[in-house]
Amino acid sequence: MKTLILLLVASAYLTAAEYYYPPIGSDEWKTTSMTDLGWDTERKADLSNFLDTTGTKGFIILVNGKIVIEEYYNDFDATKNWYWASAGKTLTSVMIGLAQQEGLIDIESPTSDYLGEGWTNMDASKEKDIKIRHNLSMSTGLDYNVDNQNCMDPECLNYLDEAGTHWFYYNAPYRLLLDVLDSVYDKRINQVTNQLIGDKIGMGGLWLNYVRWGTARDLARFGSFVAAGGKWDNGFELEKEYYNAMSNTSQEMNKSYGYLWWLNGKDSYKLPSTNFVFDGPLVPTAPSDMYAALGKNDQKIYIVPSMNMVVVRIGESADESKAAASSYDTQLWAKIMVMLPTTNVEELTETPIISPNPVQNTLNISTDVSYDKAVIYDLNGAVVMESEYSQQINVGGLPVGHYSIVLSKNGERVWVEGFLKSE
């Protein structure tokens, strides 16, 4: 077991060599080794085994644009395409921003300015209250209680709430943004995508029935563009004001959602298909500044600005969860974080050890550090227990299952470890 301090050595990344951009039209992509970055290479086998046994097809980690890890599993390889699922929403978000830069879209304008009046089954005045920004932030107010949430026909799009007053993860209003782009460019969406971003960063792939497909490296190129601040080395750039709005809270109903991007490090979040508000960050084991493209069946692009890091995972669903955000995020980031270099809040003469594991009632913590607080999360990232730190924590009231315990000191999350609650 290794101390995991979530206050990472940012200087190892922020003062690194100039950001690398893989050449367009080439398979060349520079690498950097785990050893050079000071990562724990002994932890790599555990990560690879976890990926292999959870349905992963492709997995990539970039730092400063260079490949640190690239692996393929289950008869997959770098040449094969896979669907992005809802991770593709973030590509749409970027394209809307680029179209706004070109003066063809204003996200503060009514969506009907681009789709025409009558795109919903609502009164014209209510319809006009819905702006492109509401489509981007899942806050159109359209009634999501329909048989088919992908239905974009006007009869499927009815009034439920005032625009901008309710957040619900609803596919149809998002998908209509692709029709908006079709309309303003008078081209098919694959042509629009190549023109706006694909050709400029060397990203391949295509849209099929509103779903994006591509290789793991296509996702990595897109992630690298975003991680670089929405820039490429050929002068191509996403306007900073839009980039900042896209990657920060877009409305007050779900603080963990930007413009089709999921945000970590907020004090609460909502998940797809529910109105329940969960306390705590979206992915408690990940860096707080991480934001992500999350797709059905665990399609992932994670961006960590403080570390200039991109993580891509594509494949089958890792477990029974099908939604965009799942327990897999928490488990995967726990595996990644234990590989990374850390800064000690104070010199530790003894690494924290929890026992027993599995535990029935009392979880014992053996350590030489006086922490301030202990927080226990379930695999959905929800806080299930929070208390002042003690070397003995009664977890007897928790249901059987997997959990993560996070210990804090001086306001910083210092150490995290998983444990199993047994009967």
Side-chain angles (χ1 to χ4, degrees):
M1 187 181 299
K2 177 182 176 181
T3 303
L4 173 59
I5 298 173
L6 300 185
L7 178 61
L8 295 169
V9 184
S11 62
Y13 303 94
L14 300 181
T15 62
E18 184 178 356
Y19 200 91
Y20 169 76
Y21 299 88
I24 295 171
S26 170
D27 291 334
E28 178 188 347
W29 200 316
K30 289 185 178 180
T31 64
T32 188
S33 72
M34 294 177 62
T35 302
D36 288 344
L37 293 174
W39 292 14
D40 187 343
T41 57
E42 293 182 1
R43 295 279 189 164
K44 170 64 167 47
D46 185 41
L47 171 65
S48 296
N49 181 65
F50 175 74
L51 293 168
D52 189 23
T53 57
T54 53
T56 303
K57 297 285 188 181
F59 183 79
I60 297 174
I61 295 182
L62 309 177
V63 172
N64 289 318
K66 297 179 181 178
I67 294 174
V68 184
I69 297 174
E70 181 177 21
E71 294 185 340
Y72 297 93
Y73 306 87
N74 302 303
D75 299 321
F76 206 74
D77 61 50
T79 67
K80 293 182 179 178
N81 290 309
W82 194 256
Y83 61 92
W84 295 33
S86 285
K89 287 180 168 66
T90 59
L91 176 57
T92 303
S93 175
V94 167
M95 290 196 296
I96 290 291
L98 293 169
Q100 180 169 255
Q101 280 178 225
E102 295 185 357
L104 296 179
I105 290 175
D106 180 351
I107 67 170
E108 296 299 335
S109 293
T111 305
S112 55
D113 285 2
Y114 309 99
L115 295 178
E117 293 185 4
W119 68 275
T120 71
N121 196 31
M122 296 161 53
D123 292 339
S125 61
K126 293 293 186 185
E127 181 180 277
K128 209 165 185 64
D129 286 340
I130 301 175
K131 301 176 180 180
I132 294 293
R133 173 171 52 82
H134 296 128
N135 295 70
L136 286 168
S137 57
M138 295 290 178
S139 61
T140 59
L142 290 165
D143 189 355
Y144 48 83
N145 298 297
V146 291
D147 292 335
N148 180 5
Q149 291 198 352
N150 290 320
C151 177
M152 297 178 288
D153 298 333
E155 56 266 27
C156 296
L157 304 174
N158 294 285
Y159 176 85
L160 180 65
D161 295 294
E162 295 293 323
T165 65
H166 189 92
W167 187 93
F168 195 89
Y169 194 85
Y170 184 11
N171 256 357
Y174 149 71
R175 287 188 167 198
L176 284 163
L177 290 174
L178 295 175
D179 289 351
V180 168
L181 289 165
D182 271 354
S183 173
V184 298
Y185 284 95
D186 194 25
K187 294 179 180 178
R188 304 300 296 171
I189 193 59
N190 283 310
Q191 294 175 294
V192 176
T193 304
N194 291 337
Q195 175 181 320
L196 278 176
I197 184 171
D199 293 343
K200 295 175 181 177
I201 67 171
M203 179 187 70
L206 74 164
W207 297 94
L208 293 173
N209 193 28
Y210 294 91
V211 176
R212 185 71 183 178
W213 288 73
T215 66
R217 284 195 170 195
D218 289 329
L219 279 78
R221 279 182 180 268
F222 173 66
S224 192
F225 167 76
V226 176
K231 299 177 183 179
W232 209 257
D233 63 349
N234 53 11
F236 175 54
E237 184 172 355
L238 178 63
E239 186 178 63
K240 194 66 176 178
E241 182 178 357
Y242 182 87
Y243 175 90
N244 289 338
M246 175 188 79
S247 54
N248 283 283
T249 301
S250 60
Q251 31 60 52
E252 288 303 310
M253 293 77 69
N254 186 359
K255 295 180 181 180
S256 297
Y257 205 73
Y259 290 162
L260 303 174
W261 285 90
W262 291 92
L263 316 175
N264 201 34
K266 308 304 179 182
D267 59 15
S268 64
Y269 62 93
K270 296 178 72 174
L271 291 174
S273 303
T274 178
N275 282 307
F276 186 78
V277 178
F278 296 89
D279 291 331
L282 185 69
V283 186
T285 53
S288 60
D289 66 330
M290 183 269 285
Y291 57 100
L294 302 177
K296 180 180 179 180
N297 296 334
D298 295 310
Q299 320 310 321
K300 317 285 187 182
I301 307 173
Y302 305 100
I303 312 293
V304 186
S306 62
M307 300 162 63
N308 286 346
M309 180 185 285
V310 177
V311 179
V312 169
R313 187 272 184 191
I314 57 174
E316 306 287 357
S317 179
D319 51 34
E320 295 181 359
S321 176
K322 304 297 182 183
S326 74
S327 61
Y328 189 69
D329 303 276
T330 302
Q331 297 173 72
L332 177 57
W333 271 101
K335 300 289 185 183
I336 294 172
M337 294 297 281
V338 294
M339 297 192 307
L340 307 187
T342 60
T343 288
N344 288 321
V345 172
E346 59 181 272
E347 289 298 320
L348 302 182
T349 59
E350 181 183 4
T351 299
I353 297 175
I354 59 173
S355 64
N357 188 7
V359 60
Q360 288 182 312
N361 295 304
T362 302
L363 190 68
N364 300 302
I365 304 172
S366 174
T367 177
D368 62 337
V369 176
S370 297
Y371 295 98
D372 300 328
K373 189 168 75 170
V375 181
I376 295 177
Y377 297 86
D378 67 16
L379 286 184
N380 288 319
V383 176
V384 295
M385 184 180 297
E386 184 173 355
S387 66
E388 292 184 1
Y389 170 69
S390 170
Q391 288 192 331
Q392 291 188 322
I393 298 176
N394 186 349
V395 296
L398 295 179
V400 172
H402 291 271
Y403 297 90
S404 294
I405 182 168
V406 176
L407 304 182
S408 300
K409 184 175 180 62
N410 299 329
E412 296 290 345
R413 291 185 294 168
V414 176
W415 178 82
V416 60
E417 188 62 55
F419 69 91
L420 175 67
K421 170 62 172 64
S422 61
E423 293 181 347

